[in-house]
């Protein structure tokens, strides 16, 4: 698959980790995306794809693309034989200035881009992207669209600063201390987080800790699960295993087996690292 990525210019770089272009044949028909401290926008330029947001929710089809605020559980993506899209990996708070509704309304409920920006706007954007001269021009068009839509958002400075502290500590911070340092009540802070990110500060901290722990795993080598759990601040291995299943639907050992399968069957693939073959 072809994957092109770059960081946008200021001020978008304070809201977005990267803009990306993706085209080609997915390594598997279904891929699982465990929760990350990130929100996602996909503008689809190929055949529709499908998403299932949890075992209790029916799979839905997305033709124009999708908007996903920071998830609390794994998402399963079902891809056509070939896929083509541009997208945005937002920082947890980064999507708020582009949403017409509170982020909490979309938590674990992916919606189409049309539902957020309207049919005429996304149709026009897709047409311009489809006729662009290559991935780099497409990312420039996407960046310009985001710049046009960027707006002031009440409470964003508070949420961004507090989230940055959580990120810097990989979630190992007392949430009560954050509200005291910010000079607001814990209730006010939680409300702002739910409005702009979709989850509470406590949940964001859990996600950052889990993500940091997973990225510390080298599936190609031996793993001391006790050391890994202790180093990440989990109470014990049982607590670590419970969190792992809550975030991925897999046990830690099964997760590594699936990662090793990906590495074995698709060495050096552009999508290796976080998406997993659907188990």
């Amino acid at each position: 698959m072809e994957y092109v990525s770059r960081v946008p210019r200021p001020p978008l770089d304070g809201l977005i980790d990267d803009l990306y272009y993706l085209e080609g044949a997915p390594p598997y028909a279904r891929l699982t995306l465990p929760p990350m401290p990130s929100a996602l926008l996909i503008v689809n330029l190929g055949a529709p794809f499908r998403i299932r947001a949890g075992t209790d929710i029916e799979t839905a089809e997305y033709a124009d693309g999708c908007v996903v605020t920071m998830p609390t559980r794994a998402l399963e993506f079902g891809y056509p034989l070939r896929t083509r899209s541009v997208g945005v990996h937002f920082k947890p708070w980064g999507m708020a200035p582009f949403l017409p509704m509170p982020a909490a309304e979309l938590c674990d409920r992916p919606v189409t881009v049309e539902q957020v920006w309207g049919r005429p706007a996304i149709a026009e954007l897709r047409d311009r992207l489809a006729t662009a001269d290559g991935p780099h021009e497409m990312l420039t068009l996407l960046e310009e669209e985001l710049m046009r839509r960027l707006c002031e958002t009440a409470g964003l400075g508070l949420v961004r600063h507090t989230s940055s502290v959580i990120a810097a500590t990989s979630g190992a911070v007392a949430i009560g201390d954050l509200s005291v340092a910010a000079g607001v009540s814990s209730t006010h802070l939680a409300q702002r987080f739910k409005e702009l990110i979709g989850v509470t500060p406590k949940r964001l901290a859990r996600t950052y800790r889990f993500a940091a722990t997973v990225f510390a795993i080298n599936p190609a080598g031996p793993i001391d699960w006790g050391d890994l759990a202790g180093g990440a601040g989990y109470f014990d291995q049982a607590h670590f295993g419970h969190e792992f299943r809550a975030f991925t639907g897999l046990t830690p050992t099964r997760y590594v087996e699936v990662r090793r399968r990906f590495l074995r069957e698709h060495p050096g693939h552009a999508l290796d690292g976080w998406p997993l073959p659907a188990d």
Side-chain angles (χ1 to χ4, degrees):
M1 297 185 78
E2 181 181 7
Y3 185 83
V4 179
S5 168
R6 68 172 173 80
V7 176
R9 67 185 187 275
L12 292 179
D13 60 340
L15 303 169
I16 292 169
D17 285 323
D18 74 313
L19 311 171
Y20 72 87
Y21 169 84
L22 180 68
E23 180 177 14
Y28 302 98
R30 294 182 299 127
L31 285 168
T32 298
L33 186 69
M36 278 283 287
S38 176
L40 177 65
L41 166 72
I42 299 174
V43 180
N44 188 41
L45 302 171
F49 57 84
R50 302 175 70 84
I51 301 177
R52 187 171 71 159
T55 56
D56 57 332
I57 297 178
E58 290 188 7
T59 302
E61 188 171 89
Y62 297 80
D64 68 352
C66 68
V67 172
V68 181
T69 57
M70 205 193 88
T72 68
R73 52 187 172 181
L75 302 175
E76 183 183 287
F77 282 75
Y79 288 100
L81 293 178
R82 288 191 66 83
T83 188
R84 186 171 186 250
S85 63
V86 294
V88 185
H89 293 121
F90 288 94
K91 299 178 188 297
W93 60 86
M95 190 176 280
F98 307 97
L99 291 178
M101 72 283 285
E105 292 185 12
L106 305 183
C107 186
D108 295 325
R109 299 180 184 90
V111 294
T112 65
V113 185
E114 178 184 320
Q115 289 172 282
V116 175
W117 286 353
R119 180 176 294 182
I122 185 57
E124 180 187 358
L125 176 60
R126 291 178 75 211
D127 285 346
R128 287 191 286 125
L129 289 168
T131 57
D133 186 19
H136 294 286
E137 183 177 326
M138 294 169 78
L139 295 184
T140 297
L141 288 171
L142 180 59
E143 183 175 2
E144 290 171 350
E145 179 71 18
L146 292 167
M147 285 294 295
R148 280 195 296 270
R149 291 182 172 275
L150 182 61
C151 63
E152 291 291 328
T153 304
L156 184 61
L158 169 66
V159 171
R160 176 177 173 175
H161 173 74
T162 307
S163 299
S164 298
V165 175
I166 294 173
T169 62
S170 297
V173 61
I175 303 302
D177 292 346
L178 295 175
S179 58
V180 171
V184 299
S185 69
S186 57
T187 300
H188 177 81
L189 188 64
Q191 287 175 339
R192 283 303 194 192
F193 264 68
K194 292 187 76 172
E195 289 171 5
L196 303 187
I197 296 179
V199 300
T200 64
K202 183 177 180 180
R203 181 72 203 202
L204 180 64
R206 280 180 62 191
T207 306
Y208 267 112
R209 177 168 61 175
F210 175 77
T213 306
V214 168
F215 283 130
I217 295 173
N218 177 10
I223 301 167
D224 187 321
W225 293 111
D227 282 353
L228 190 71
Y234 292 101
F235 300 131
D236 51 32
Q237 235 176 297
H239 178 211
F240 174 63
H242 179 270
E243 284 288 271
F244 221 101
R245 286 189 294 275
F247 276 91
T248 68
L250 305 174
T251 65
T253 52
R254 181 58 184 156
Y255 166 85
V256 171
E257 289 174 3
V258 175
R259 280 291 312 280
R260 286 172 176 163
R261 170 189 165 194
F262 198 122
L263 287 170
R264 183 173 61 253
E265 296 179 355
H266 301 277
H269 197 279
L271 294 184
D272 177 46
W274 195 245
L276 302 167
D279 193 37

